[in-house]
């Protein structure tokens, strides 16, 4: 078992990881920038270390300062949270090199899954369906023409070294493809130092479905799926587990494919395999693997009763997987919404400031994951996520009713938040029927966003 | 002499990208409406436009420096 953990993150995830470690009797060290001296994660950790100025590059992304803090405080492990250094293979290697257990997969596993082409190849080799397109990098336009006979149009031309929606071009026919291909190669070379390209067919109306996995380097299990189809600018805003869109047969196939891939790459820790699911064709396609704990992990915890962060800590401490697949049984339905410091009526303009008063929702089936407290000033330098409201109930319908109840209880005064968005979505017929896809929310916002005016308390 | 203030709290940037030249170099003239920098607030970027015209801009705030709303970013003659 680990003895002392440095949490290399901030905000709600730092609070979440510190709580999980303390529940296991592991001592905790928070790190903080000059802008986060008053942050909750600093207050609740057993110790705290300053790691530099507000700019993330000089603090939360500063590997030397973080490793020094770990050495100075006598830590034997580092949890990276999500974002910042969580999927940085060199950081994972640097931790290992400094004798620290990195709570996550090996640097090599992060490298393989972080390279989009290598990840696609690994998925294909493990018998996981991938989006139709090139299996590896495209060598020439001639090679692309052959592949296009099978895929058809539209296709996305993607940079092998890209990610997060960057370096993507869409071609609707061969002429567009031939014009875009050399431009995309030049752009990828300039932006990423690597002109390598691959391509994927555009799946027009797809759901985002992802499978939570746990591995110990030898064996792996899945903790069922989440659906995160409600997205704005490729950022998830509402997540649920399980997905109502899947038949039992497709769910079994999907989850089994995720376990195959997790085993094939010798994965250790918690990870997420992301897929697109095409309702009409009743088919799923691998898109990528996230080699970290995800923001939306609590919905899986609510339906399975598993503390995923605690399992990560046990695995990093050298324990084999405690759970057999037959131990993991989903119950009921969970929904998470992301309360961000943004004004949904003004194109989601960021709204940092001071929380003048706070009323946290409670009662059965309600979980509020947050770093807020009354009097806390949200700094402008980092992510806008303030809180994740997670509800659990016997059915999806009951979970939506409970979500509205819990949102109505929630008051975050002094800031504008995305709460009005979720109150409106919970009452929308398409959301209630789960008749959505990954581009549905942006269309809905075009006609509804002006009515999502947040209450702004004095 | 007049001052250009930051409209928002966040991180101030002098250019649109690390490999791009600054919007304004020290000593440049500024017209009303000219972009003089960007403020990053919670990962979103907002242009800072000068509301005044003047000569010989002098930046009081460095690239990538944290700023508060109302802070002086630059002075012009």
């Amino acid at each position: 078992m680990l003895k002392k953990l440095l949490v290399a993150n901030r905000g709600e995830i730092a609070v979440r990881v510190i709580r999980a470690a303390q529940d296991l009797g592991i001592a905790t060290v928070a790190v903080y920038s000059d802008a986060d001296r008053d942050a909750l994660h600093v207050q609740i950790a057993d110790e705290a270390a300053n790691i530099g100025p507000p700019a993330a590059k000089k603090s939360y992304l500063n590997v030397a300062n973080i490793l020094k803090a770990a050495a100075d405080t006598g830590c034997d492990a580092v949890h990276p949270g999500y974002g910042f250094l969580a999927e940085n293979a060199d950081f994972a290697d640097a931790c290992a090199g400094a004798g620290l257990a990195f709570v996550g997969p090996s640097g090599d596993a992060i490298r393989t899954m972080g390279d989009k082409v290598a990840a696609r190849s690994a998925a294909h080799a493990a018998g996981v369906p991938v989006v139709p397109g090139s299996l590896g990098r495209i060598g020439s336009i001639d090679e692309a023409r052959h592949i296009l006979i099978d895929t058809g149009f539209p296709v996305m031309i993607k940079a092998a070294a890209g990610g997060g929606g960057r370096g993507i071009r869409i071609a609707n026919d061969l002429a567009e493809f031939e014009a875009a291909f050399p431009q995309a190669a030049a752009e990828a070379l300039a932006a990423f130092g690597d002109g390598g390209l691959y391509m994927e067919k555009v799946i027009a109306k797809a759901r985002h479905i992802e499978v939570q996995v746990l591995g110990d380097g030898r064996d792996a299990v899945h903790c069922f799926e989440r659906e995160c189809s409600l997205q704005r600018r490729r950022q998830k805003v509402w997540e649920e587990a399980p997905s109502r869109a899947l038949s039992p047969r497709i769910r079994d196939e999907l989850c089994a494919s995720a376990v195959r891939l997790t085993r094939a790459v010798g994965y250790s820790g918690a990870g997420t395999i992301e897929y697109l699911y095409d309702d009409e064709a009743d088919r799923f396609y691998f898109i990528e693997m996230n080699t970290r704990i995800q923001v939306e992990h609590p919905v899986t915890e609510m339906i399975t009763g598993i503390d995923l962060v605690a399992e990560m800590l046990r695995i990093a401490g050298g324990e084999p997987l405690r759970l057999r697949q037959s131990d993991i049984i989903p119950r009921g339905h969970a929904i998470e919404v992301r309360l961000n410091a943004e004004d949904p009526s003004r194109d989601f303009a960021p709204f940092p400031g001071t929380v003048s008063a706070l009323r946290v929702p409670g009662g059965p089936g309600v979980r509020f994951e947050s770093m807020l407290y009354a009097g806390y000033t949200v700094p402008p330098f980092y992510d806008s996520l303030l809180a994740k409201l997670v509800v659990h109930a016997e059915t999806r319908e009951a979970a939506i009713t409970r979500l509205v109840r819990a949102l109505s209880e929630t008051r975050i005064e002094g800031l504008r938040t995305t709460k009005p968005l979720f109150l409106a979505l919970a009452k929308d017929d398409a959301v209630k029927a789960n008749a959505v896809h990954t581009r549905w929310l942006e269309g809905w916002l075009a006609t509804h966003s002006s009515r999502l005016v947040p209450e702004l308390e004095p | 002499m007049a001052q250009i203030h930051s409209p928002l709290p966040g991180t101030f940037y002098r250019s649109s990208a690390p490999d791009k030249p600054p919007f304004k170099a020290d000593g440049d003239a500024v017209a009303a409406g000219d972009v003089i920098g960007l403020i990053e607030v919670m990962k979103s970027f907002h242009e800072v436009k000068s509301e005044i015209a003047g000569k010989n801009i002098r930046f009081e705030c460095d690239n990538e420096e944290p700023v508060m709303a109302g802070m002086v970013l630059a002075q012009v003659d």
Side-chain angles (χ1 to χ4, degrees):
Chain A
M1 180 56 79
L2 306 174
K3 290 188 176 63
K4 195 168 185 181
L5 177 75
L6 182 135
V7 180
N9 215 299
R10 63 175 306 284
E12 71 85 21
I13 193 62
V15 170
R16 168 77 185 89
V17 173
I18 289 165
R19 285 174 174 157
Q22 291 177 339
D23 285 348
L24 290 173
I26 300 169
T28 53
V29 177
V31 294
Y32 62 95
S33 75
D34 293 342
D36 275 340
R37 289 181 187 282
D38 299 327
L40 184 62
H41 72 283
V42 176
Q43 297 179 24
I44 67 169
D46 301 288
E47 289 174 56
N50 181 274
I51 50 164
K57 209 161 65 181
K58 296 174 181 167
S59 50
Y60 297 104
L61 292 171
N62 186 327
V63 173
N65 286 9
I66 291 169
L67 292 180
K68 181 175 185 304
D72 290 349
T73 53
C75 286
D76 61 357
V78 174
H79 195 305
Y82 54 67
F84 295 127
L85 295 167
E87 289 174 281
N88 183 316
D90 293 338
F91 179 63
D93 286 344
C95 288
L100 297 159
F102 178 77
V103 184
S106 67
D108 285 342
I110 297 174
R111 240 170 241 117
T112 301
M113 299 322 273
D115 178 323
K116 302 300 169 197
V117 171
R120 238 172 105 74
S121 304
H124 181 70
V128 180
V130 297
V131 178
S134 61
L135 275 181
R137 290 165 185 245
I138 311 168
S140 65
I141 285 210
D142 277 340
E143 187 190 332
R145 282 197 199 98
H146 273 285
I147 299 164
L148 286 164
I149 294 169
D150 290 331
T151 60
F153 289 94
V155 293
M156 284 187 282
I157 306 171
K158 294 182 160 187
R166 296 197 310 153
I168 296 177
R169 280 166 174 254
I170 292 178
N172 292 298
D173 55 44
L174 192 60
E176 279 186 25
F177 186 90
E178 289 180 355
F181 189 80
Q183 291 170 12
E187 267 181 22
L189 185 63
F192 309 112
D194 174 355
L197 300 174
Y198 68 107
M199 63 188 194
E200 286 179 352
K201 184 177 170 63
V202 174
I203 310 287
K205 277 191 182 176
R207 293 175 191 270
H208 177 107
I209 310 265
E210 56 189 34
V211 178
Q212 175 70 52
V213 292
L214 285 170
D216 62 8
R218 293 166 295 278
D219 203 0
V221 292
H222 70 80
C223 305
F224 295 93
E225 82 283 1
R226 298 185 281 263
E227 175 163 355
C228 320
S229 297
L230 293 177
Q231 302 186 2
R232 179 179 167 271
R233 296 185 180 170
R234 295 173 189 269
Q235 299 296 312
K236 299 160 189 167
V237 302
W238 164 311
E239 301 104 345
E240 30 190 297
S243 168
R244 257 293 185 75
L246 302 185
S247 66
R249 181 184 62 81
I250 282 284
R251 173 174 298 114
D252 287 349
E253 283 178 24
L254 179 83
C255 293
S257 80
V259 171
R260 279 201 305 278
L261 179 55
T262 309
R263 283 207 187 105
V265 296
Y267 192 83
S268 180
T272 299
I273 319 242
E274 298 195 328
Y275 299 84
L276 290 176
Y277 172 65
D278 181 340
D279 288 48
E280 283 177 26
D282 194 23
R283 293 180 74 167
F284 59 85
Y285 307 101
F286 168 84
I287 34 177
E288 63 180 48
M289 180 170 192
N290 290 326
T291 55
R292 54 171 157 80
I293 191 73
Q294 282 189 303
V295 176
E296 60 272 25
H297 75 275
V299 290
T300 297
E301 297 184 325
M302 296 298 261
I303 63 159
T304 60
I306 297 168
D307 183 330
L308 291 167
V309 180
E311 294 306 323
M312 292 177 88
L313 293 170
R314 290 175 191 277
I315 293 164
E319 289 183 37
L321 278 181
R322 294 192 311 150
L323 298 155
R324 288 166 303 176
Q325 193 61 62
S326 56
D327 297 333
I328 305 170
I329 298 158
R331 285 194 180 84
H333 197 94
I335 299 174
E336 170 184 287
V337 296
R338 301 191 191 190
L339 294 165
N340 291 345
E342 294 167 352
D343 183 344
S345 68
R346 293 175 50 230
D347 198 28
F348 294 81
F351 205 97
T354 300
V355 180
S356 54
L358 179 68
R359 189 169 72 198
V360 172
V366 175
R367 180 168 158 188
F368 192 72
E369 292 284 338
S370 177
M371 73 305 201
L372 295 183
Y373 57 85
Y376 174 62
T377 297
V378 180
F381 309 113
Y382 314 107
D383 197 84
S384 60
L385 182 62
L386 297 173
K388 303 183 307 202
L389 173 57
V390 192
V391 295
H392 183 230
E394 283 181 19
T395 63
R396 185 171 187 270
E397 291 67 27
I400 291 176
T401 305
R402 182 162 275 168
L403 175 68
V404 173
R405 188 268 287 171
L407 280 168
S408 305
E409 282 178 32
T410 307
R411 296 193 76 135
I412 302 170
E413 299 186 7
L415 303 178
R416 293 192 180 189
T417 79
T418 47
K419 179 175 128 176
L421 168 67
F422 301 118
L423 282 170
L425 285 175
K427 289 173 183 130
D428 188 272
D429 287 339
V431 173
K432 283 194 209 166
N434 199 25
V436 296
H437 54 84
T438 54
R439 311 220 6 231
W440 179 87
L441 179 59
E442 288 184 345
W444 183 91
L445 283 169
T447 51
H448 292 72
S449 64
S450 61
R451 278 175 267 159
L452 304 175
V453 181
E455 56 208 75
L456 183 61
E457 310 301 330
Chain B
M1 207 167 70
Q3 297 172 328
I4 301 170
H5 299 271
S6 177
L8 293 160
T11 306
F12 180 63
Y13 294 93
R14 297 262 320 255
S15 59
S16 61
D19 57 346
K20 294 276 158 56
F23 291 106
K24 293 286 176 186
D26 274 311
D28 281 358
V30 176
D34 278 1
V35 175
I36 66 141
L38 299 176
I39 304 279
E40 181 189 3
V41 193
M42 294 177 151
K43 297 182 179 173
S44 72
F45 289 85
H46 303 260
E47 291 183 339
V48 182
K49 290 181 179 162
S50 177
E51 293 178 346
I52 52 174
K55 288 179 189 162
N56 189 25
I57 189 168
R58 296 174 304 283
F59 283 88
E60 302 271 304
C61 191
D62 290 335
N63 190 44
E64 296 185 19
E65 199 177 307
V67 296
M68 300 310 293
M71 219 170 100
V72 176
L73 296 176
Q75 312 235 23
V76 293
D77 291 332

